[in-house]
Amino acid sequence: MPRVSDEHLERRRQQILDAARRCFIRKGFHLTSMQDVFAESGLSAGAVYRYFKSKNEIIHAIATERQGIAVQLLERIIKEDPLPPFEEIIERFLTLVQSMLDDGTLRVAPQVWAEALHDPTYREIVSGLFVGLRSSWTSLAVRMRDAGRLPEDADPEAIGTSLMCLMPGFVMQRLLVGDVDATVVTAGIRGLAGAR
């Protein structure tokens, strides 16, 4: 029997994750059964269980599969010379987050955040993501301060912590209210820049 390629295995794994994500978006983690995932993926139970032993393993994989994308974007921006204007950085970041919400990648994030409140496994995943992203925002604040774009006495840790609040707030407003997009928040940031 011919050996199955790594590419085929990864495609099949992604097929399962995409199907599970659609189920979780429709029904939530708790109301989605493995049978729902089998039906949505079009695969047999055996095929799914070859990749994931349980629904929790699928949730874990979804929670971690693309968590570094936002951090990678910020790290690339930090290395740009000259550093883009602050409003452009915010807009690029939120445009990425918006695209990840629109394609379904981040739509289950609030469910994972909720699980993290009482499950140590998810707490570790979410806190790792949040700390990593906050660290990137802090590095950006350092770069901005060093470039003279923030006061010398600005606290990069406090700025990084504050900017970290953008993502969860944006995600929740876009999912629950629906009238928020990257340009609206960027305009708000621009308006705040003149606040005294």
Side-chain angles (χ1 to χ4, degrees):
M1 187 155 124
R3 186 173 178 273
V4 177
S5 72
D6 289 342
E7 282 180 24
H8 173 78
L9 293 172
E10 182 53 34
R11 276 195 310 272
R12 183 58 54 91
R13 180 180 181 278
Q14 195 60 53
Q15 178 182 351
I16 296 164
L17 292 177
D18 291 344
R21 185 181 291 107
R22 289 190 298 271
C23 291
F24 296 150
I25 289 168
R26 271 196 316 270
K27 297 174 73 173
F29 290 157
H30 297 293
L31 294 179
T32 297
S33 67
M34 285 301 282
Q35 286 70 30
D36 293 327
V37 175
F38 307 152
E40 185 74 23
S41 67
L43 299 172
S44 68
V48 172
Y49 283 126
R50 176 178 184 188
Y51 294 87
F52 301 101
K53 293 180 178 62
S54 67
K55 185 170 72 170
N56 274 347
E57 278 194 12
I58 294 173
I59 295 168
H60 185 274
I62 288 172
T64 59
E65 73 174 328
R66 296 183 187 167
Q67 71 178 14
I69 293 174
V71 170
Q72 291 166 8
L73 172 67
L74 288 176
E75 295 302 325
R76 283 195 307 273
I77 290 171
I78 289 166
K79 293 175 184 171
E80 291 181 21
D81 191 21
L83 191 64
F86 182 62
E87 290 95 5
E88 180 185 324
I89 295 168
I90 296 298
E91 186 163 23
R92 285 168 61 183
F93 176 79
L94 291 179
T95 297
L96 171 69
V97 172
Q98 182 174 317
S99 72
M100 293 172 71
L101 283 168
D102 293 348
D103 73 12
T105 302
L106 267 181
R107 289 185 65 86
V108 297
Q111 295 180 60
V112 176
W113 300 341
E115 291 296 311
L117 296 174
H118 58 82
D119 185 315
T121 302
Y122 295 109
R123 178 185 288 278
E124 184 177 335
I125 294 166
V126 173
S127 66
L129 169 62
F130 279 27
V131 167
L133 195 50
R134 188 174 67 193
S135 175
S136 295
W137 283 119
T138 300
S139 296
L140 175 66
V142 169
R143 173 95 197 279
M144 290 176 69
R145 185 189 62 193
D146 292 350
R149 291 170 55 183
L150 286 172
E152 285 183 22
D153 63 347
D155 180 351
E157 293 285 335
I159 292 169
T161 299
S162 299
L163 289 172
M164 177 57 216
C165 296
L166 277 174
M167 187 190 69
F170 179 77
V171 166
M172 295 306 293
Q173 285 191 78
R174 183 138 177 104
L175 291 177
L176 297 176
V177 183
D179 63 350
V180 177
D181 64 22
T183 57
V184 169
V185 177
T186 302
I189 296 290
R190 188 178 305 113
L192 282 172
R196 298 199 188 284

